[in-house]
Amino acid sequence: MPWGAIIGAGVSLVTGAMGASSASSANAAAKRDQKRQEEFQKDVADSTNKYNTEKFKIDTANYEAMYDYGVKTSNRNYRRHKELVDFAFAQDLRRFEKSNEIAAGQFGLNQEAAEQAFEGQLASVEDMFLANQFQGETSLGALQDVYTEQGFNRKEQDTKLLGIRSKQNLGTASITNQIDSLMTAGSLQKQATLVEGLLAEGKSSLGQAGKSRIKAKQASAAALQRGIIGIERELTGKRTQAGIELAQLNAETSLAITGVGLNLEKIDSAIESAEGEAEYNGRIMSANMKSFISQTGRNIDELIQQKKYADINTQASMMLEPEFSGYDPKPKPPPKQQFIAPQEAIPGFTPAATQQSTFAPLIKGFGGAASQLAGTDFTSLFGGSRGTPGAGFGNRPGGF
């Protein structure tokens, strides 16, 4: 079928022509793209250079402004720091002066309190001394009262003793007189009885004779004897009674004298006891006074120690005298930063546009057409045998 080969060859040629046209259009587009890329790269480089230049100017201006601001701030802070240091030092000086003023007042109070305490201790000693004096006077007064009272008691006992002795003497004299009287009366009575007996015997002798007279004389003699014995017995009993009374008087007198002696011993014992008590009280008062004085001395030592502690505590509470610490070093400007001008930007590399060959599609189309037409019998197209020119073409209207 030669028409198919012809059509195929035509298609190959058309395809080749279209490929060549497309390659030419692509090449033109690539050139336009290359030009636009180059223009874009140039615009980018110009914009970057402009931005970098403006940024460099702004950055350097900002740095200079910040540098000046930092230096001024440092100087201002330094001046403010000096003002604060001066103010703080002045405040420390005022606090130090106030602390000294308070401490001086506290030292004065400590001294005043110590003096009052010392005066109190001395007053206590004086009070104790006066109390001892009053107590001593009281003790001496009591002893004097005892002396006076016991003196009266002694005089009373002496008087009582004189009465006892006087009573004894009087009683002894009375009993002696009584005995003497009894002896005298007894002797007289004996004599009277004897006379009466003799008279009775005489009467008996005169009135009777013989045995009767003898009996009468014997009876008279017996009566006389009984009378004399009775008188003697009576006298003996009265003498015994008088002796007993005398003994009783002596016993009573001895007991009374013994009682007076005991009372005198009691008086001496009371005086001795009062003197011992007064001496004991004196020793106690002396010991108490000595102990009180020793305790007062210890109290004063303790007060002195307490004042020392109070002064030490006051001294410890005082502020130390402030010392000026000085100012911080004056700030120095820091070294300035070195800036490098921005490097100029150049347009970026734009590779050359890739070009397609416009002949290759034609050559390919011609090659394809040739391959389609190669070995095709065109005689049938002109009505003749193969090899007759024009065979097979006469039957087509218009031919080529």
Side-chain angles (χ1 to χ4, degrees):
M1 295 181 63
W3 289 106
I6 292 172
I7 292 171
V11 169
S12 296
L13 291 175
V14 171
T15 300
M18 291 177 65
S21 176
S22 176
S24 178
S25 298
N27 289 337
K31 284 291 186 181
R32 288 194 301 272
D33 291 341
Q34 178 183 358
K35 185 175 181 181
R36 284 196 297 269
Q37 183 68 23
E38 289 176 351
E39 291 177 353
F40 176 77
Q41 292 289 351
K42 185 175 183 303
D43 291 339
V44 169
D46 292 341
S47 177
T48 300
N49 287 331
K50 184 178 180 181
Y51 172 79
N52 289 338
T53 300
E54 292 298 325
K55 184 177 182 299
F56 178 74
K57 290 179 180 180
I58 293 173
D59 288 344
T60 53
N62 289 337
Y63 171 77
E64 291 294 336
M66 290 301 296
Y67 183 85
D68 293 339
Y69 175 78
V71 171
K72 291 178 180 178
T73 301
S74 297
N75 291 330
R76 184 170 59 254
N77 292 338
Y78 177 70
R79 290 191 298 271
R80 181 59 178 168
H81 168 72
K82 288 178 65 178
E83 292 175 356
L84 294 176
V85 169
D86 292 338
F87 178 77
F89 183 67
Q91 289 294 96
D92 290 340
L93 287 177
R94 283 193 289 271
R95 284 193 292 269
F96 176 70
E97 292 175 358
K98 189 65 177 179
S99 175
N100 286 340
E101 181 181 351
I102 295 174
Q106 187 62 47
F107 282 130
L109 291 176
N110 294 342
Q111 182 66 28
E112 184 177 353
E115 290 177 356
Q116 290 179 354
F118 294 154
E119 291 176 358
Q121 293 297 320
L122 295 178
S124 298
V125 172
E126 292 178 357
D127 292 341
M128 185 67 178
F129 182 74
L130 292 175
N132 277 351
Q133 282 187 333
F134 288 129
Q135 189 173 357
E137 291 177 0
T138 302
S139 180
L140 290 177
L143 181 60
Q144 187 65 37
D145 292 340
V146 171
Y147 281 150
T148 302
E149 181 182 359
Q150 299 306 323
F152 286 122
N153 291 336
R154 186 184 292 277
K155 290 180 179 180
E156 181 181 359
Q157 295 302 318
D158 290 340
T159 303
K160 186 176 181 181
L161 182 60
L162 290 174
I164 292 171
R165 292 188 182 280
S166 178
K167 182 179 179 181
Q168 182 184 17
N169 292 331
L170 292 174
T172 301
S174 175
I175 293 172
T176 303
N177 290 332
Q178 185 180 358
I179 292 172
D180 291 341
S181 297
L182 288 174
M183 292 300 293
T184 302
S187 178
L188 293 175
Q189 190 175 2
K190 284 173 67 178
Q191 290 177 4
T193 301
L194 182 61
V195 170
E196 289 178 358
L198 291 176
L199 290 175
E201 185 178 356
K203 288 179 178 180
S204 297
S205 295
L206 292 175
Q208 295 178 0
K211 292 183 179 178
S212 297
R213 190 179 61 182
I214 294 172
K215 289 182 178 178
K217 287 181 66 176
Q218 290 178 348
S220 297
L224 177 61
Q225 185 68 31
R226 285 194 302 270
I228 293 172
I229 292 172
I231 292 170
E232 288 180 353
R233 286 179 178 175
E234 183 179 357
L235 291 174
T236 302
K238 289 182 178 181
R239 283 197 300 269
T240 302
Q241 182 66 33
I244 292 171
E245 290 178 359
L246 182 60
Q248 185 177 359
L249 177 62
N250 289 331
E252 291 177 354
T253 302
S254 178
L255 289 175
I257 292 173
T258 301
V260 170
L262 290 175
N263 290 333
L264 291 175
E265 288 180 2
K266 288 181 180 179
I267 291 171
D268 293 336
S269 177
I271 294 173
E272 184 178 355
S273 177
E275 290 175 346
E277 185 177 359
E279 183 182 0
Y280 177 73
N281 290 335
R283 290 199 303 271
I284 290 177
M285 287 187 295
S286 178
N288 288 339
M289 190 67 188
K290 184 177 180 181
S291 176
F292 190 81
I293 291 174
S294 299
Q295 182 62 43
T296 301
R298 289 190 294 271
N299 292 340
I300 290 175
D301 292 338
E302 184 177 358
L303 290 174
I304 293 173
Q305 196 70 15
Q306 289 177 357
K307 182 180 181 300
K308 288 182 180 178
Y309 286 146
D311 290 342
I312 290 173
N313 291 332
T314 303
Q315 184 72 29
S317 65
M318 292 177 60
M319 285 183 58
L320 295 176
E321 183 176 0
E323 297 180 359
F324 185 69
S325 61
Y327 305 116
D328 290 342
K330 187 176 182 180
K332 295 181 179 180
K336 286 190 175 183
Q337 182 178 349
Q338 300 294 324
F339 289 94
I340 299 176
Q343 184 178 5
E344 182 179 2
I346 58 176
F349 172 74
T350 302
T354 302
Q355 298 292 312
Q356 298 181 12
S357 175
T358 57
F359 294 103
L362 293 176
I363 294 173
K364 184 177 179 181
F366 284 122
S371 63
Q372 291 289 334
L373 295 177
T376 302
D377 185 8
F378 292 99
T379 58
S380 61
L381 296 175
F382 300 103
S385 59
R386 181 177 298 178
T388 304
F393 290 96
N395 296 327
R396 297 191 55 166
F400 284 102

